[in-house]
Amino acid sequence: MHRVVKISKGLNINLKGAPVAEMTSVETAKFYALMPADFTRVTPKVVVKPEDSVKAGDPLFVDKTIPELQFVSPVSGKVVAVNRGERRRVLSVVVESDGKFESVEYKAKDVLSLSSDEIKADLLKAGLFAFMRQRPYDVIADPKDAPRAIYVSAFDSKPLAASFEVALKGNEEDFQTGLDALSRIAPVHLGICACQKSTALLVAKNVTTTIFKGPHPAGNVGVQINKTAPVNKGEIVWTIGAEEVIFIGRLFNRGKIDFTRTIVLAGSEVKNPSYSKVVLGAQLTNLLKGRLEEKNELRIIDGNVLTGKKTTADGFLGAFSTGVTVIPEIMGGDEMLGWAMPRFSMYSTSRSYFSWLFPKRKYAIDARIKGGERHMIMSNEYDKVFPMDIYPEYLLKAIITGNIDKMEQLGIYEVAPEDFALCEFVDSSKLELQRIVREGLDKLRAEMC
Amino acid sequence: MKFLRNYLNKIKPSFEEGGKLHAFRSVFDGFETFLFVPNDTAKSGVNIHDAIDSKRIMSLVVIALIPSLLVGMYNIGLQNALAAGTAATTCWFDMFIYGLLVMLPKIVVSYVVGLGIEFVVAQWKNEEIHEGFLVSGMLIPMIVPVGCPLWILAIATAFAVIFAKEVFGGTGMNIVNVALVARAFIFFAYPSVISGDSVWVATEQVLGFGANAVDGYTCATALQYVANGGEIVGASGAALSVSDMLFGFMPGSIGETSVVAIAIGALILLYTGVASWKTMLSVFVGGIVMIFVFADKLPADMPFWQHLLLGGFCFGAVFMATDPVTSARTEVGKYIYGFGIGAMTILIRVLNPGYPEGMMLAILLMNVTAPFIDYCVVQSNINARAKRLTKKN
């Protein structure tokens, strides 16, 4: 039997608009975009011009420091725009699909007969290595490194997140091939949830499977690493999303690039939240058409409520996003003396509100911060939702004060910004913890690398 | 409501940069965010936030203080009547009104001075006003004797807010408890108004309420009688009963006397999770342990739990020791910190010949020690991580 790890600290936020496990067909999007900002660390060098025609798998931009690391077009068609922002920073490369979804042809291969270097080379060429992230620093991995292990979390425990089992249906074989390919590079650790019943997960081969029980953030790969074998200074661990493992499997089984994801559209402002098949980078217009409530001003989130980015109705699906969430921006207009009111309809982990009396009730939460930023006042707020063997408050203070020695000692190599998302949610001082952690990781990387 | 919002929107521009009332921006901001929840939405990181904020937390502490405050006011009137010998003929409501009239100026002075400084600092630093003083401002008048003059209270409050809080960076950054610094300031600068036997009972009429006691009337606190080895008597000269100690009908600092009222506050704080039960419990454990250690130096006929009912022990344990900013912030640290306060309080009470009360000094001392306690706790995590690394190599 697999090892079972129980996680007690954490929090499941019961939000309205959870998806049902049904597929809703969506008209194929016309425009697709790849946004360099999704690939943390990478400085993009654009290798296409507007009007160039590309196939799925042709590079759109490459990394300036590691040029063999390429970021490929998800569809076939022609490049229509390279959007730049301040100081000519590349914001996105947009491709107009020709509707044919033609891929660059690769050879189907038996992965178990390939060497680590051959697999890395194939993944780099096909643009799939771009999805590999590394701890420490939570940045896109460097193919030259030899990781201690590769971690794959097969479930997302964030609120309203997509269920991987829905995405896995029909892709079981590709998923196994993907795991096989990764296992040639380094030992693969697969984290699954106690609630998952799919045989492809339970009997996955060439991996060490661990079952995680407990509330979010049990599904965060960082927590799974910390609970099985924490990252020490000097070690490198790679992480990759479960759906990206399927992309790898498709490459080796069929010799094709196929970035079709099963994404979820959920949230309190979505009519009939459900799943849809969408190619990575797709413009959201068709996905959202006719499916949103119109009572409130809306916040459309590329990703989930805890770690996703605010986008617009004509924005694009991020490279790592497995869903789109729509919540109200401001619900109910100006609120008078809100801090003194019982606020029966609001969710809080604090017992000064009443939501703890109704653990099953589902809440619609808007995007308001509901308070001003303060210094850290309450203690033990973060610890209650942070299951790693780390003192989050002290690590954050070390980051804020820029104390690199302390950051190292307190375990910054083990964390990613997403691990602090729940702390940021419950924080009564309303500090931007994920931003602080990201800046800390960047600063440390600049010092160390 | 709509009208108020529109009015605020109308006058807002004159408080902004370049407006003619810009010098009062922090005051306007303070009132605006007090009246209406700001409609700012998340810019980075999480897209949703918990409904809790520091305004609510601080106001919960103020609510928890109200029972002690009300009993304290009644007790001011009661002690005055007992001192003047009119207790039998004065109705409880008159006593309460008398207490209210004595107490209200103290609360107003504390808030006006403290918040005034907070507004100035917020304006100067271009920050939002912080709520921390809502609690400190209520605590300060509650932990001084009724005889403390307003001007001393004002100086002490100003000293505490500036030198214990603002120089460290405001609410959340202070090392020692602001309200206790105000009290310690009075204790060292004006010892005559916070110790001795002439400040614990109000002896003069206010606006026709209350009664004038005889000239030269004196009455010490229960702890002073314990320290002197005499019988514990109340303002009327009769011995204090246990129920007087429980309900707080005895001379003492205004808010500290009623154990029952403090217990109600403690329940509010513990139920809402604002205060840590770990700290609170450990203070009592530390105190009890020390009472048994010094059993031979304490009055033999006094049961151990009575020591906890007297003086500021309960008030300090519930409202001051649990201040999250100045207490230990790690969970293990809270046990040590709390125990240290309880133990130190009794130690000071027993061994210090000059001053019978120990809670204030014990908490201040442990405030200063708390970062060291946390350092040790966090260091054990650091050591474990370092060990893991060496084991691997």
Side-chain angles (χ1 to χ4, degrees), chain A residues 178-192:
Chain A
L179 292 176
D180 291 342
L182 294 175
S183 71
R184 302 299 295 165
I185 303 176
V188 178
H189 291 261
L190 180 67
I192 65 173

Side-chain angles (χ1 to χ4, degrees), chain A residues 50-71:
Chain A
E51 298 302 316
D52 283 0
S53 30
V54 288
K55 282 183 176 173
D58 278 331
L60 296 180
F61 54 89
V62 300
D63 182 13
K64 257 185 190 154
T65 42
I66 310 169
E68 60 270 31
L69 191 55
Q70 47 190 21
F71 302 83

Side-chain angles (χ1 to χ4, degrees), chain A residues 99-148:
Chain A
K100 294 180 199 146
F101 293 94
E102 280 176 323
S103 160
V104 178
E105 293 292 326
Y106 301 94
K107 268 193 214 122
K109 288 176 181 169
D110 173 18
V111 287
L112 291 172
S113 64
L114 299 177
S115 73
S116 164
D117 287 339
E118 284 169 321
I119 298 229
K120 275 189 196 173
D122 283 348
L123 292 181
L124 279 167
K125 208 170 129 203
L128 283 165
F129 200 88
F131 295 102
M132 194 75 82
R133 301 180 82 90
Q134 69 158 54
R135 298 281 162 115
Y137 312 125
D138 190 39
V139 293
I140 300 301
D142 181 342
K144 288 188 283 296
D145 290 330
R148 183 193 78 192

Side-chain angles (χ1 to χ4, degrees), chain A residues 232 235 299 305 329 334-335 337 339 341 348-349 352-353 356 367 374 377-378 389 393 409 414 430, chain B residues 1 34-35 37 39-42 47 49-52 56 131 171 271 329 334 374 385 388 392:
Chain A
N232 289 308
E235 284 178 350
R299 169 172 289 223
V305 287
E329 184 80 19
D334 295 315
E335 198 187 358
L337 296 175
W339 54 274
M341 293 294 165
S348 174
T349 51
S352 65
Y353 290 97
W356 68 276
R374 299 288 181 267
I377 296 175
M378 300 302 286
D389 181 24
E393 186 187 318
Q409 292 170 353
E414 302 167 39
K430 312 289 178 189
Chain B
M1 182 189 133
F34 176 84
L35 283 172
V37 179
N39 277 337
D40 299 336
T41 53
N47 292 280
H49 282 85
D50 197 311
I52 192 75
R56 192 167 181 102
E131 297 84 1
T171 305
Y271 166 81
R329 297 183 69 88
K334 282 174 186 165
D374 285 337
R385 187 167 290 106
R388 198 173 75 205
K392 189 196 70 142

Side-chain angles (χ1 to χ4, degrees), chain A residues 38 57 62 121 143 156 200 204 225 266-267 274 302 367 372 443:
Chain A
D38 288 340
V62 300
D156 192 342
I225 300 171
S274 60
D302 169 23
K443 180 174 176 158

Side-chain angles (χ1 to χ4, degrees), chain A residues 26-43:
Chain A
V26 180
E27 198 187 329
T28 327
K30 194 161 174 58
F31 294 100
Y32 294 80
L34 219 51
M35 292 164 279
D38 288 340
F39 304 95
T40 325
R41 173 194 72 78
V42 169
T43 319

